[in-house]
Amino acid sequence: MKFRDGMWLVAEGKRVEYAEEVYSINEAPDGKKITLLCPTMQIRSRGDTLNRPTLTVELEAVMDDILSIEVTHWHGAQNKGPHYDLFPSGRPDVNAIIAKTEQGTTISAGNLSATVSSAPHTFDIRFHSKDGKDKLTSLLNRSVGLAYDPATSSPMQTADMREINHYILTQSTLSVGEQVYGLGERFGALNKVGQAITLWNADGGTSSDQAYKNIPFWLSNRGYGVFIDATEKVDLEVGSERCSRVQTSVLGQRLKWHIIYGPSPKQILDKYTTLTGKPAKVPTWSFGLWLSTSFTTDYDDATVLSFLEGMKARDIPLQVFHYDCFWLRAFHWCDFVFSPKHFPDPKASITRLKASGLMNKVCVWINPYLGQASPVFAEAASKNYLLKRKNGDVFQWDLWQGGMGIIDFTNPEACEWYTSCLEKLFDIGVDSLKTDFGERIPSKDVQWFDTSVAPEKMHNYYAYIYNKVVYEALQKRYGKYEAVLFARAATAGTQQFPLQWGGDCESTFEAMAESLRGGLSLGMCGFSFWSVDIGGFEGTPDASIYKRWVQFGLLCSHSRLHGSNSYRVPWLVDDDDKSEQGCSAVLRKFTQLKCRLMPYLYSEAMESIKHGWPVSVRAMAIEFPEDKTAWLCDQQFMLGSSLLVAPVFDESGEVEFYLPEGKWTSFWDGQVVEGPKWVKETHQFDTLPLYVREGSILVLGREGEKRTTWDWTKDVEVKTFFPNGKSSFRLVDPDNKELATITAVKSDDDWNVKGAEGLAR
C-alpha cells in the first residue's frame, strides 16, 4: 500500500503523520528495553506538545543478535490474537547492554546494536553490528508513522473510527546494491526489490503475485533479516514506493518486527527458526517417490493396482501412493469416507497392496471444509465445530463444495473431533495426509469460537493451526518422527509441520521455472522440505516437459508425480516408449539416483533442520554469500551443501548455469570445471547439470539402489572430490544417530579419508 504520491506529496485520500523527533528515552528496569516517545512534530515550545499525536517506539533485546522494534499509536487498542508462538523450544538468554554517549543511546543484543541519535529534534535509529563494522539498515526521517484512510481534516473525526482505516507504517532503508529475498513461496523475481507484496494467503496458482504461503520474513544480502511479528495482512513496498526503503504497513494501532543479525544467510536462518520454530524430522520413506491418482481423473481399486503393477514392471521404486480428492464421494468433501462404489473395502485393499510390496505407505487428500451434503456437516454444525457468521449462522458458501462450512480450529473440541475423524483413516491404513487448501478463510462477517481472536488475523494463521492439528494427530498415531504432511498453505512457524508443496502450476517450462523460484523463496524463510507437482498440475505435459520435470522433481527433498485431469504414470505420457530416453527410463534412473543419494541426502537433512536451512532448492547465495553472482541465480540450486543442480527449461536440452569459485566435478562423467564461470551444456533426457563441489565427501548407495532405508554402513561407497583440510561429512542413520564422521587427512602429498573404516560396500 502506497501512502505517498512520489517523494513530495501524500497520496490522495490519505493523511500521514510521522515521528519527527525522539522526545524522551526511558530504560526498562531489566535493562533489555528502551522506550522512545516520538511526537509527530518537532517540539520547540510547550504549546507544541498539545493536540498532536505521538508514537511510541520500543526497542527490545529479544535474544542474542535479535532486536525487536514495536511502534504503537494508541496503547488502549486491543491486541487480539492469534499471535505467533515464538521460541517454541524455549527462549535463550540474551546478553543485553544499554549504553549512553554523546552521540546517542545504544541498545545491544549480543552482536547486534541499535543506536538512537541524541541530535536535537531528530528521529534517527541506526542498526549495526556491535563493533560497528557492519551497517545494516536505519529508520530515518519520515520512516515511522501513522496514517488515516480516508484522510481526516480534524482530530474530532477520530471520535468515530468505524469508517476510518488506521495504519502503522515503517520504512527501513535499502542501501546501494541491497537485495531482498524471501516473504514466502513467491513465484516472481527472486530479488523482491521493486515489488509491492501483500502477505495474504490466496489460492492463486503459481503464476501471479498471489501466494499460498505468505511468510512475514525477508532476508537481505547485507547480513540481516526481518521478521514481521504480525499475523494480520501485511503490505510491503520493497523499494517500490521509495526506491531506497522497505515500507511495511498494517491496519491497526501497532506494528512489531524483529531485526536478525547474521551476518551470513545460514546464521540468519538459524536464529530466525530459533524464534519461530525449527523444521521437524521426517521419516526416510518420505524421501522416495510418491505417485498420485491426479485430481479429477477417473480411478478405482483396479486403476490403482494397474498403476502400481506398471511401476513395478518398469523397475521404478515407489514409496507412497496418494489418493487424491475423488477417493471421497462427490459433494461429500471432506467427510473421511472412501467412495464405496470405487473402493468397497479400502482397508482390505490397502492391506493387500502393502503386503504385495507394490508400495510402502498410503497418503490421502483432505481439506478443512465440509460440504453440506455429507452427514458430518450436520454433526459438526450441531456441535458448534464450524466457523459462524456474526448473526450466529454457520458460515457457508458454494465456493469449492456446495454449502461448505469451515472447521473452527479455535474450538478445542472441534480439534479433538477432527482428530478422531483422522484416526478412522489411520485405522484403514492411511499413513500420511495431504492437507490441501486452508487459504480461503473469510475475514468479514465471521465469528470464531475463540472470541479473543481477530478475524483478519485468523486468515493467514489458519494454515498454522490446521496443519498443526493434523500433524500432531499423525504423531500421536505413528510416533514423533514418523509424521509427514503434504501441505499447501503456510505462515510463519508452519515449517515445524513438514512438508510443503508448491501448489497448482501449469504443465509448461515457464511454470517449472516459476515453481523453482517459489521453492527458493520459501527455503529462504526457514522451510527445510519442499516438493512440487512433477509434470505440472494444470494441463497435460508432453514427454519433453514431463522428463525435464522428473529430473527437477527427483532432486527436490521430496518428489511426487501429480496432475489435474490427466494421469502422471510415465507410460501414458509417451505411449510407453521403452528406449533409454523414454519417460519410464528417465523416471527409473532419477528415482534410483535419489535412492542412491539417501545416505548423503538424509544426513544433510538432519543438519538442515537443526539450523532451519532448506535441504534442496537451496538458493546459491545461502552457500556462497560472498559471491555477488550467486545472489542472482534463480534457475539452479544446491541439494545440500555439496551438489549443484541446474534443471533444463528448454526442449532443446540447452542449459546455462553458474559455477562459483572452485573445482566442480560432473556427477555423471567426472569432468572437472573450474569456477567462477558461466557454463553452457546440452543434455539428453537421462542427465542434467549435476556437479559436486570441491572439498566434498559423499556417501552414496550402490548404482541402481531402490531403497530409501537400509543400513548405511553397508552397500555404500565413499567418494571424495578434491578434498582439503575443511572436508568433513557426518553420516547419520534414520534415527539421527551418528554412524561415522569422515574427514580428509593429508598424507605426504595426497589426501585420504579418515573415519570411513566401518563402511563397507
Side-chain angles (χ1 to χ4, degrees):
M1 176 174 290
K2 291 181 170 63
F3 293 95
R4 299 196 70 84
D5 179 3
M7 284 189 64
W8 317 121
L9 303 178
V10 175
E12 184 177 351
K14 294 181 173 62
R15 176 176 176 175
V16 188
E17 304 265 8
Y18 295 102
E20 295 288 352
E21 71 169 57
V22 177
Y23 183 77
S24 64
I25 301 177
N26 291 319
E27 181 179 334
D30 63 4
K32 297 180 181 179
K33 180 166 68 174
I34 57 175
T35 301
L36 319 181
L37 179 62
C38 305
T40 55
M41 72 173 294
Q42 295 177 358
I43 306 301
R44 298 182 181 275
S45 70
R46 287 185 171 182
D48 291 338
T49 65
L50 304 176
N51 302 312
R52 176 62 53 183
T54 62
L55 289 160
T56 302
V57 179
E58 294 180 329
L59 297 169
E60 181 178 4
V62 175
M63 65 172 265
D64 282 355
D65 301 343
I66 300 182
L67 287 167
S68 70
I69 303 92
E70 184 167 20
V71 180
T72 307
H73 180 203
W74 290 337
H75 290 257
Q78 297 180 71
N79 189 13
K80 287 193 169 185
H83 303 289
Y84 289 118
D85 180 18
L86 301 184
F87 299 110
S89 297
R91 183 167 179 167
D93 292 333
V94 58
N95 180 24
I97 299 173
I98 299 174
K100 295 184 178 182
T101 66
E102 290 184 0
Q103 287 72 39
T105 301
T106 298
I107 180 170
S108 299
N111 294 311
L112 173 64
S113 297
T115 297
V116 183
S117 173
S118 60
H121 310 302
T122 300
F123 185 90
D124 185 317
I125 304 173
R126 311 284 174 124
F127 298 94
H128 54 90
S129 59
K130 186 178 178 181
D131 60 11
K133 178 182 176 182
D134 293 334
K135 295 175 175 58
L136 305 177
T137 189
S138 308
L139 293 170
L140 304 178
N141 65 304
R142 290 188 171 181
S143 64
V144 172
L146 63 98
Y148 293 110
D149 180 13
T152 57
S153 57
S154 165
M156 291 294 291
Q157 292 174 263
T158 62
D160 184 355
M161 292 293 293
R162 289 175 295 178
E163 302 297 327
I164 301 174
N165 292 319
H166 180 285
Y167 298 90
I168 296 290
L169 62 102
T170 63
Q171 287 189 347
S172 56
T173 55
L174 281 171
S175 299
V176 176
E178 186 167 1
Q179 297 159 30
V180 169
Y181 299 87
L183 294 172
E185 184 189 47
R186 316 212 76 84
F187 306 104
L190 191 60
N191 176 12
K192 304 303 183 287
V193 173
Q195 299 180 40
I197 293 174
T198 297
L199 301 180
W200 189 252
N201 285 359
D203 175 11
T206 67
S207 196
S208 74
D209 60 355
Q210 295 183 5
Y212 302 100
K213 306 169 188 66
N214 288 271
I215 313 300
F217 171 79
W218 54 270
L219 186 152
S220 167
N221 65 335
R222 285 183 63 85
Y224 71 96
V226 169
F227 168 60
I228 306 160
D229 191 1
T231 51
E232 62 264 48
K233 180 190 289 186
V234 178
D235 285 300
L236 294 111
E237 299 287 343
V238 188
S240 49
E241 178 172 300
R242 288 197 64 180
C243 298
S244 59
R245 293 186 177 182
V246 176
Q247 177 174 281
T248 305
S249 63
V250 295
L251 180 65
Q253 293 291 337
R254 55 179 58 84
L255 170 61
K256 183 176 185 178
W257 46 266
H258 300 72
I259 183 168
I260 305 167
Y261 176 55
S264 74
K266 284 187 171 182
Q267 291 170 313
I268 296 167
L269 290 174
D270 195 353
K271 295 162 190 174
Y272 165 68
T273 51
T274 298
L275 184 65
T276 60
K278 300 291 184 184
K281 177 176 173 283
V282 294
T284 52
W285 56 260
S286 71
F287 289 83
L289 181 62
W290 298 45
L291 173 63
S292 165
T293 60
S294 293
F295 171 30
T296 59
T297 54
D298 187 16
Y299 68 92
D300 55 15
D301 268 332
T303 312
V304 172
L305 180 61
S306 71
F307 285 173
L308 295 174
E309 290 179 337
M311 297 290 277
K312 182 178 181 181
R314 291 161 180 82
D315 205 22
I316 302 170
L318 184 69
Q319 282 295 324
V320 184
F321 191 82
H322 168 71
Y323 297 78
D324 214 58
C325 307
F326 280 96
W327 68 273
L328 298 153
R329 295 164 290 174
F331 297 109
H332 285 61
W333 301 352
C334 178
D335 66 357
F336 315 103
V337 178
F338 273 83
S339 169
K341 176 182 177 182
H342 301 88
F343 304 99
D345 191 346
K347 183 175 184 178
S349 174
I350 290 172
T351 300
R352 284 195 305 271
L353 292 175
K354 287 183 177 180
S356 71
L358 292 172
M359 65 178 182
N360 185 14
K361 302 289 183 179
V362 164
C363 175
V364 299
W365 174 96
I366 62 170
N367 70 21
Y369 310 144
L370 301 180
Q372 67 180 6
S374 172
V376 296
F377 176 92
E379 178 185 1
S382 67
K383 294 181 178 179
N384 207 26
Y385 296 161
L386 299 178
L387 177 62
K388 291 187 175 182
R389 296 187 185 273
K390 288 182 178 179
N391 66 1
D393 291 347
V394 170
F395 178 92
Q396 291 180 266
W397 57 14
D398 295 323
L399 186 63
W400 186 239
Q401 290 287 283
M404 58 159 261
I406 299 172
I407 301 294
D408 186 344
F409 288 113
T410 71
N411 182 344
E413 292 183 3
C415 296
E416 292 178 10
W417 173 81
Y418 196 76
T419 298
S420 71
C421 295
L422 300 180
E423 288 172 345
K424 295 174 184 177
L425 294 178
F426 304 154
D427 292 340
I428 292 173
V430 172
D431 306 280
S432 179
L433 295 165
K434 173 183 171 181
T435 48
D436 206 352
F437 287 82
E439 304 94 357
R440 292 174 177 167
I441 305 303
S443 58
K444 306 293 184 184
D445 189 31
V446 292
Q447 179 63 60
W448 293 88
F449 176 85
D450 182 352
T451 58
S452 70
V453 303
E456 63 274 10
K457 291 186 176 183
M458 280 298 299
H459 175 86
N460 285 353
Y461 197 76
Y462 188 88
Y464 178 90
I465 55 176
Y466 163 39
N467 284 290
K468 184 175 188 286
V469 166
V470 178
Y471 189 76
E472 291 180 346
L474 284 162
Q475 287 184 311
K476 179 182 176 183
R477 170 58 66 98
Y478 294 116
K480 183 177 181 180
Y481 299 123
E482 284 293 309
V484 62
L485 305 177
F486 232 83
R488 191 172 74 174
T491 187
T494 318
Q495 68 269 10
Q496 297 172 89
F497 320 122
L499 61 104
Q500 286 70 35
W501 104 94
D504 298 348
C505 47
E506 295 178 320
S507 298
T508 64
F509 284 120
E510 291 78 13
M512 184 174 152
E514 67 198 22
S515 294
L516 173 55
R517 292 194 296 269
L520 291 169
S521 289
L522 189 68
M524 295 176 105
C525 296
F527 285 73
S528 289
F529 304 107
W530 180 83
S531 184
V532 67
D533 288 344
I534 296 176
F537 179 72
E538 291 289 350
T540 301
D542 63 25
S544 174
I545 291 171
Y546 180 89
K547 288 180 281 192
R548 294 304 183 190
W549 215 310
V550 161
Q551 295 176 335
F552 167 38
L554 265 299
L555 292 171
C556 294
S557 73
H558 289 76
S559 310
R560 182 185 65 158
L561 293 160
H562 183 64
S564 179
N565 57 6
S566 58
Y567 301 117
R568 290 292 179 266
V569 288
W571 57 91
L572 295 181
V573 177
D574 63 359
D575 198 24
D576 203 12
D577 179 356
K578 293 183 171 56
S579 74
E580 288 304 306
Q581 296 296 316
C583 290
S584 293
V586 172
L587 180 60
R588 175 172 57 250
K589 179 171 183 175
F590 279 86
T591 305
Q592 292 179 0
L593 170 64
K594 191 171 192 184
C595 292
R596 187 185 180 202
L597 289 171
M598 276 303 295
Y600 163 78
L601 179 57
Y602 195 77
S603 296
E604 287 286 320
M606 293 304 97
E607 186 69 10
S608 295
I609 65 174
K610 178 181 177 182
H611 300 288
W613 305 336
V615 178
S616 185
V617 293
R618 181 181 295 182
M620 298 296 296
I622 294 177
E623 286 296 324
F624 304 95
E626 301 304 318
D627 187 327
K628 290 186 177 181
T629 303
W631 287 92
L632 307 177
C633 295
D634 65 356
Q635 297 174 38
Q636 61 188 75
F637 58 90
M638 297 295 291
L639 172 55
S641 58
S642 294
L643 293 176
L644 183 151
V645 183
V648 180
F649 297 104
D650 192 274
E651 188 174 356
S652 68
E654 295 180 356
V655 56
E656 186 174 16
F657 56 97
Y658 175 71
L659 295 175
E661 184 178 2
K663 295 183 176 68
W664 293 85
T665 304
S666 170
F667 185 88
W668 307 113
D669 59 16
Q671 177 184 349
V672 177
V673 182
E674 185 104 24
K677 68 183 297 185
W678 285 92
V679 180
K680 288 184 178 181
E681 294 180 352
T682 301
H683 286 260
Q684 296 190 61
F685 294 111
D686 57 346
T687 61
L688 83 170
L690 179 61
Y691 279 81
V692 188
R693 183 180 186 176
E694 179 180 348
S696 296
I697 299 174
L698 298 186
V699 179
L700 304 171
R702 61 192 176 188
E703 290 193 28
E705 181 60 68
K706 302 174 188 176
R707 301 167 294 176
T708 57
T709 308
W710 74 93
D711 183 351
W712 293 335
T713 64
K714 300 176 181 178
D715 296 328
V716 296
E717 62 176 322
V718 179
K719 301 186 71 173
T720 61
F721 300 83
F722 298 100
N724 54 48
K726 296 181 180 179
S727 298
S728 180
F729 182 75
R730 179 177 177 266
L731 179 67
V732 301
D733 69 7
D735 295 321
N736 199 22
K737 294 179 181 177
E738 185 173 309
L739 297 174
T741 295
I742 306 167
T743 57
V745 179
K746 194 169 186 179
S747 177
D748 297 326
D749 292 328
D750 200 6
W751 288 89
N752 298 301
V753 295
K754 178 183 179 181
E757 295 78 12
L759 308 182
R761 186 173 176 84

